[in-house]
Amino acid sequence: MSAILSADNLNDFISPGVACIKPVETLPAQQPSTNGIYEVTRENEGDRALPAEISLTDCLACSGCVTSAEAVLVSLQSHAEVLNELDASSSLLPLEPSHQPFKPSVVKGEGLPYADENTQKPRIFVASVSPQVRASLAATYGTTEKEAGWMIDQLLGGPGGLAAGGKHRNGFSLVVDTNAMREVALVMEAEEVVASAASDRSTPVKKPVLTSACPGWVCYAEKTHPHILPHMSRIKSPQALTGTLLKTVLSKRLGIRPEQIWHLAVMPCFDKKLEASREELTNTSWQNPPQSDVAASSVRDVDCVITAREILMLADSRGVSFPGLPKKPLNTDTMRGLFDSPLAEFLFPLSSGGQYNSRQQPEAGTSGGFLYHVLRTQQQLHPGSEIQSKRGRNADVIEYTVISGEEVLFSGARYYGFRNIQNLVRKLRPAKASRLAEKKIAGVRQPPAKSRNSDYTYVEVMACPGGCTNGGGLIKTDDLGPLQGKVSEKTQKDWLAIVDATYYSMDQSEPTSDDDSAICLTEDSDLIHGMPASRRVETVLKFWEEYTGISIEKLVKTSFREVHSDVGKPKKGDTEIAEVAVRIGGGW
């Protein structure tokens, strides 16, 4: 699904007569004549039916079709929308030619600097970038992941990037690395797994816990396998966490409304556009007090998502040569000034030159390292234990165990690709109840049928085979010829191996192990910039909660909902599907 969702190549259109029922439901019915006068027309010359309009909420509330409805949503978020927003609004924090840092005394509590009260729709433009996008572009142009990140930063927030053109010469005043909030997701999800394994009633997630950071997988589960939803992790994805952090903190820090912060996320797959459209990921889920008029007040935590290919289209639209952008970092002093400590140090640590250290462990994989961090946490909870791995039916299925002697303490797995996901779903499907289950035999009620549950405690699930470095929005082999100026003879498999190697390019100086059967962890392996990850994240979360006055549950957790298909079913009552979707809090 992810690989074909592109607004530029929409060739899987399903006509309304085949699957989509919304045009039939939303067209106004013709009213009978009341004055006794009837209009006579020739065949095919009558009033033409009004064009069908399918809203975003309509698509998210209907599970009748997948590819076409999602392609419509994809087209709503593109590089063209980014340019339109930059040209339609002036920036409350324009890029300074001198790149001087903001004075905290001016920013905090005394109103926004550079604000123009006479300008309509003034906004702050902020962006977040994923490591997979940096790796894909780095492999394309023969550079490192870090340098590719600098090039993206220069395009979005540098003087020679987007700010060199356009009506207002706007750029992005803040560019952050999603790896920062990925660390939050890792720690929170590991704690969730520990609570679920202990049958802690404080967590609603059932064992085995399944990752929910992949929107393609979430969409599939909500529409086709609702029995999976109680197992889905409630922790938001790094993209969603980043959006929530920026909207909640900056709106209070600068004394503005959340809708005045326009957040762009640069992600590896098109499905992330669908995630950004969820009603659960808007200010209505965390705002104190909650707004009564959801439809009128909801503001997305992520306003727009574009991919690696669209980053290049964005540069071309402004007449900027992406490979010609400077391979050096932006001055982050200005960006640090937008946050108080410890958030400033968390997002832009001075220990690494103001740039977030996006160091990736090869053992963690290319999809964020959720399973790897859970395994590390379990090993630390059981000193002296060992992590062992075993390949499944193919390279996209790997099973892990934490053992101490002969005792298995923890079991987890990694399932990538929908073919493998279907096998996982079958393992978790509840067993059908026996016909004898409710009958009494010799006065004894028979026990209910046991669920065919797996022995896993945690499973990392991603829709794309090979993980997130194979996202549909990243550079593919067919794109290499025009971008590199020469014909590429690489297969997609070979190209993916290059992107994966680039993803770990920051670790080339680190020693590696040739033993794939065991993951060796040192005593300091859970350190981030010299501070234990859990303690560092706990400090950030405590500050975030106290600073915004919003409970951490609302800030970091989300929810999921079964989506019922209405295709081919009679419409019940006069309630429109769009209104139902808004009232229940969204869904796909």
Side-chain angles (χ1 to χ4, degrees):
M1 177 171 60
S2 301
I4 63 172
L5 283 181
S6 174
D8 303 314
N9 185 24
L10 180 57
N11 56 7
D12 64 331
F13 178 72
I14 301 176
S15 65
V18 175
C20 183
I21 62 170
K22 293 308 302 175
V24 178
E25 290 184 348
T26 57
L27 288 179
Q30 291 185 347
Q31 300 296 327
S33 175
T34 58
N35 55 10
I37 301 176
Y38 295 89
E39 180 181 1
V40 179
T41 61
R42 296 180 181 180
E43 185 178 1
N44 298 328
E45 289 186 0
D47 293 337
R48 293 185 179 182
L50 296 176
E53 295 183 357
I54 306 177
S55 70
L56 176 64
T57 310
D58 290 332
C59 288
L60 297 183
C62 172
S63 63
C65 55
V66 178
T67 54
S68 291
E70 290 173 343
V72 171
L73 305 186
V74 167
S75 66
L76 298 178
Q77 302 180 53
S78 64
H79 73 286
E81 182 186 358
V82 177
L83 296 176
N84 289 338
E85 291 293 335
L86 290 174
D87 290 343
S89 308
S90 64
S91 177
L92 287 171
L93 297 177
L95 302 179
E96 296 180 287
S98 59
H99 289 278
Q100 295 297 319
F102 292 121
K103 297 179 180 180
S105 61
V106 175
V107 177
K108 185 177 181 180
E110 297 185 11
L112 277 168
Y114 318 111
D116 184 359
E117 298 179 354
N118 297 323
T119 304
Q120 295 182 351
K121 294 175 59 180
R123 289 179 175 180
I124 297 174
F125 297 97
V126 299
S128 57
V129 184
S130 74
Q132 292 84 6
V133 170
R134 296 193 296 267
S136 181
L137 293 174
T140 301
Y141 293 109
T143 185
T144 66
E145 184 258 0
K146 177 184 289 188
E147 291 177 338
W150 292 341
M151 295 164 67
I152 297 174
D153 293 350
Q154 292 286 350
L155 173 66
L156 298 176
L162 299 178
K167 180 179 179 180
H168 300 287
R169 297 194 175 271
N170 284 333
F172 287 82
S173 304
L174 177 67
V175 183
V176 300
D177 187 345
T178 59
N179 271 326
M181 297 310 290
R182 177 182 66 92
E183 298 292 349
V184 174
L186 294 180
V187 172
M188 295 295 292
E189 198 146 325
E191 293 178 356
E192 185 181 51
V193 172
V194 172
S196 177
S199 300
D200 189 343
R201 294 184 178 181
S202 64
T203 176
V205 185
K206 295 183 179 180
K207 175 186 174 183
V209 179
L210 309 177
T211 52
S212 58
C214 174
W217 151 242
V218 171
C219 176
Y220 174 72
E222 285 187 323
K223 286 186 176 182
T224 62
H225 298 289
H227 66 276
I228 292 294
L229 301 184
H231 299 276
M232 303 291 280
S233 170
R234 297 301 190 266
I235 307 302
K236 293 180 181 179
S237 70
Q239 169 185 298
L241 283 171
T242 303
T244 305
L245 177 76
L246 296 178
K247 292 281 177 115
T248 55
V249 173
L250 291 180
S251 60
K252 182 170 183 178
R253 167 78 162 165
L254 304 176
I256 59 177
R257 298 184 304 274
E259 55 265 31
Q260 291 181 272
I261 303 169
W262 200 80
H263 177 205
L264 169 71
V266 187
M267 292 289 137
C269 74
F270 295 101
D271 289 341
K272 283 294 183 179
K273 300 172 187 276
L274 301 176
E275 177 184 306
S277 303
R278 293 179 67 93
E279 185 65 32
E280 294 88 346
L281 301 178
T282 65
N283 65 328
T284 57
S285 65
W286 49 259
Q287 198 164 47
N288 288 330
Q291 300 293 322
S292 58
D293 189 354
V294 176
S297 63
S298 61
V299 178
R300 293 181 187 175
D301 293 339
V302 180
D303 296 281
C304 181
V305 176
I306 62 174
T307 62
R309 280 188 277 177
E310 289 171 305
I311 272 286
L312 300 181
M313 298 166 67
L314 189 64
D316 290 341
S317 299
R318 278 286 194 255
V320 176
S321 171
F322 185 83
L325 288 168
K327 296 182 177 66
K328 60 181 183 179
L330 294 174
N331 187 330
T332 58
D333 291 342
T334 297
M335 302 182 189
R336 286 177 59 89
L338 295 174
F339 300 93
D340 286 322
S341 181
L343 283 180
E345 181 62 21
F346 180 64
L347 297 173
F348 307 101
L350 291 176
S351 57
S352 55
Q355 301 291 316
Y356 191 85
N357 183 7
S358 56
R359 180 174 181 267
Q360 306 292 332
Q361 293 282 356
E363 297 91 345
T366 60
S367 301
F370 291 92
L371 175 61
Y372 179 63
H373 191 82
V374 170
L375 291 171
R376 293 195 306 181
T377 302
Q378 291 296 322
Q379 190 176 29
Q380 291 176 353
L381 293 175
H382 303 89
S385 60
E386 180 185 1
I387 301 176
Q388 293 187 347
S389 63
K390 182 179 69 174
R391 174 172 165 163
R393 300 180 61 181
N394 52 63
D396 283 331
V397 177
I398 304 178
E399 297 179 336
Y400 295 87
T401 54
V402 179
I403 63 172
S404 178
E406 300 295 329
E407 181 183 3
V408 177
L409 304 174
F410 180 88
S411 297
R414 178 184 297 165
Y415 277 74
Y416 289 172
F418 274 111
R419 181 176 299 179
N420 296 319
I421 289 176
Q422 290 172 358
N423 294 329
L424 173 66
V425 168
R426 293 189 189 101
K427 293 182 180 181
L428 299 177
R429 184 178 299 154
K432 294 182 179 179
S434 171
R435 293 182 179 180
L436 299 178
E438 297 300 327
K439 293 183 179 180
K440 292 184 178 180
I441 301 178
V444 179
R445 182 179 295 275
Q446 300 297 312
K450 293 183 179 180
S451 173
R452 297 174 292 178
N453 208 338
S454 71
D455 294 328
Y456 301 136
T457 305
Y458 181 79
V459 186
E460 180 179 295
V461 186
M462 299 292 163
C464 293
C468 292
T469 51
N470 193 29
L474 301 180
I475 307 301
K476 304 299 181 182
T477 52
D478 295 340
D479 304 319
L480 294 178
L483 295 177
Q484 296 179 342
K486 58 182 178 180
V487 178
S488 175
E489 298 180 355
K490 298 182 180 68
T491 64
Q492 184 60 32
K493 182 178 180 180
D494 294 337
W495 174 243
L496 182 59
I498 295 174
V499 176
D500 288 349
T502 309
Y503 183 77
Y504 306 122
S505 61
M506 293 190 66
D507 282 336
Q508 292 178 351
S509 60
E510 297 289 330
T512 58
S513 172
D514 295 331
D515 185 8
D516 293 332
S517 63
I519 298 177
C520 301
L521 300 176
T522 65
E523 185 178 353
D524 296 333
S525 61
D526 197 33
L527 297 183
I528 305 174
H529 305 127
M531 185 176 181
S534 57
R535 192 187 312 164
R536 183 168 180 266
V537 168
E538 181 182 352
T539 301
V540 170
L541 292 179
K542 182 179 180 181
F543 174 83
W544 189 9
E545 183 178 39
E546 293 177 350
Y547 185 80
T548 59
I550 305 172
S551 69
I552 203 63
E553 291 285 320
K554 290 184 177 181
L555 291 173
V556 304
K557 292 188 177 182
T558 186
S559 60
F560 307 97
R561 184 177 297 274
E562 178 183 358
V563 177
H564 297 278
S565 174
D566 49 16
V567 175
K569 297 180 181 180
K571 187 176 178 181
K572 297 181 180 180
D574 297 327
T575 303
E576 292 291 337
I577 293 179
E579 297 175 352
V580 174
V582 172
R583 187 174 69 251
I584 66 176
W588 291 100

